[in-house]
Amino acid sequence: MHDDVDVSRLPEGVTPLGDDIFAIDTMLAGYPGIVSSYLIRSERPCIVEVGTAGSARVLHDAVTAMGLAPADLATIVVTHIHLDHAGGTGDMAALFPNAEIVVHERGARHLADPSRLMRSAAMVWGDRLDTLFGQMHPTEARRIRSVAETGEIDLGGGRRLVTHYAPGHAKHHMGLVDTLTGDLYVGDALGVYNQLTGDVRPATPPPDFDMQACLSTLRLFSDIDAQRLMFSHFGAVDTVAETIDRARSELHLWVETVRESHGSAGDLDHAIAMVRDKVVSRYKPLPPDASPESAAVLDILSGAEANVSGIVHWLDRLEQERAEAERKEREEQG
Ligand SMILES: [Zn+2]
């Protein structure tokens, strides 16, 4: 259907990963190394993750520079609908007129009508909404295909991407497995992988973070026995079992640290300070040539503040559920 790509002349920000897979840096808010998209340049080409509205043009230029016409793109799939992953979906649908948009069923209606999503994003991000993410534009409902527990995307030539519902980070999150390579696109389910240091830290934002769901998703991902892990933040990792184990132990450490400070009459700021002190300080320092701006933005997306807020939100929810269950029990007995 198309010629081979000359990998010695790829556009900037594009990394070949073999088997017609290319990582494309979406340059969130102009910064490198924060959100990666992936192009599978198979018979029916597919893009995994679109980044923000501002990234749509970056992806369009990278894809066309690699010899595909916009009309060739068959599928665009997002692991979940957070703005750093799916904010550009409406713009992408307009730029790639034949692409079907695949999303988990719990996210589908927000792609068709992002107004509620944008309102809650404005509450969370305030002034930073515009500089970091921009506006998500609606995607025509007829272009959207939603999938449930599992689903399939035809990549052509017998190759498929199989979707697996993978909640915990968000209720509308899924992982994707390439049947040719065994690569697993993990979205944010394992957290954020730092290519420069090899550290993995969890991504546990409000309002959806759910520890039990996260742990089930980690078990599912272990069982998939993937060849590689394709992180949205950031890049491909081939130490699969080790990285999943690390993600699990980090998750436990963050949650336990917040639980301790939360239980000891601590407020949110106290819990954040504890986590910075006991948990974040363990991570390796960035090498001197790393972009401090990118590090700062990643820290906003998935740093101590957002993660601790999500964990506290989840602990409060557990507490409410427990109180509710006790109340019911008393009623039944009484
Ligand atoms: Zn993310």
Side-chain angles (χ1 to χ4, degrees):
M1 175 185 168
H2 36 70
D3 301 328
D4 281 342
V5 182
D6 178 358
V7 293
S8 66
R9 302 179 57 180
L10 289 173
E12 211 191 324
V14 175
T15 309
L17 297 171
D19 294 303
D20 295 317
I21 305 163
F22 299 87
I24 306 174
D25 190 327
T26 66
M27 299 296 293
L28 178 133
Y31 300 114
I34 298 174
V35 181
S36 181
S37 173
Y38 295 89
L39 168 67
I40 304 172
R41 203 173 173 283
S42 55
E43 272 179 38
R44 290 175 45 79
C46 174
I47 279 185
V48 180
E49 305 293 60
V50 303
T52 62
S55 303
R57 202 21 88 173
V58 175
L59 289 178
H60 173 271
D61 292 353
V63 167
T64 52
M66 285 191 283
L68 287 181
D72 293 339
L73 193 72
T75 314
I76 293 166
V77 54
V78 291
T79 59
H80 62 300
I81 61 163
H82 287 163
L83 292 176
D84 52 331
H85 298 253
T89 308
D91 298 74
M92 289 288 285
L95 289 169
F96 296 96
N98 296 327
E100 179 177 61
I101 315 299
V102 179
V103 61
H104 187 264
E105 60 183 0
R106 297 186 86 155
R109 71 194 168 99
H110 298 289
L111 294 188
D113 176 9
S115 51
R116 232 183 80 185
L117 184 74
M118 289 310 300
R119 271 200 303 280
S120 62
M123 288 195 323
V124 175
W125 299 106
D127 293 347
R128 296 195 283 209
L129 180 67
D130 266 343
T131 47
L132 287 180
F133 306 112
Q135 292 293 315
M136 183 195 266
H137 296 117
T139 302
E140 277 178 278
R142 64 173 184 89
R143 302 274 306 272
I144 301 173
R145 176 163 68 92
S146 63
V147 290
E149 203 57 32
T150 60
E152 285 201 349
I153 292 162
D154 181 8
L155 299 171
R159 184 176 185 178
R160 290 165 294 130
L161 264 188
V162 179
T163 72
H164 296 268
Y165 184 44
H169 171 79
K171 282 179 189 151
H172 39 76
H173 192 293
M174 55 192 194
L176 315 162
V177 180
D178 183 333
T179 58
L180 178 73
T181 61
D183 292 326
L184 170 59
Y185 293 84
V186 297
D188 286 354
L190 297 182
V192 171
Y193 176 81
N194 191 320
Q195 273 188 320
L196 302 172
T197 62
D199 282 323
V200 186
R201 46 180 100 183
T204 61
D208 283 2
F209 168 66
D210 180 316
M211 177 70 162
Q212 295 317 320
C214 263
L215 292 173
S216 311
T217 288
L218 289 180
R219 276 194 296 277
L220 169 74
F221 281 10
S222 288
D223 291 346
I224 284 171
D225 198 16
Q227 180 67 24
R228 275 188 301 196
L229 303 170
M230 315 297 252
F231 279 83
S232 303
H233 320 284
F234 186 95
V237 175
D238 47 22
T239 49
V240 174
E242 189 185 319
T243 304
I244 295 177
D245 283 349
R246 175 79 193 271
R248 187 183 298 106
S249 58
E250 288 292 332
L251 188 61
H252 281 296
L253 181 62
W254 279 70
V255 167
E256 283 322 308
T257 307
V258 173
R259 208 197 286 268
E260 277 168 31
S261 69
H262 192 59
S264 64
D267 58 0
L268 193 61
D269 288 340
H270 176 66
I272 293 169
M274 286 258 290
V275 161
R276 287 218 167 96
D277 193 40
K278 287 176 87 174
V279 182
V280 177
S281 63
R282 300 155 41 254
Y283 297 125
K284 291 190 203 80
L286 290 174
D289 56 334
S291 153
E293 291 88 1
S294 290
V297 173
L298 257 184
D299 203 55
I300 294 171
L301 291 184
S302 172
E305 225 177 289
N307 278 355
V308 171
S309 306
I311 295 168
V312 166
H313 194 268
W314 170 69
L315 289 170
D316 289 345
R317 206 163 65 226
L318 281 188
E319 194 54 49
Q320 275 168 22
E321 282 167 14
R322 209 178 354 249
E324 179 65 11
E326 279 172 17
R327 192 185 60 76
K328 276 208 177 116
E329 203 175 324
R330 274 199 305 274
E331 267 179 19
E332 278 162 19
Q333 286 167 358

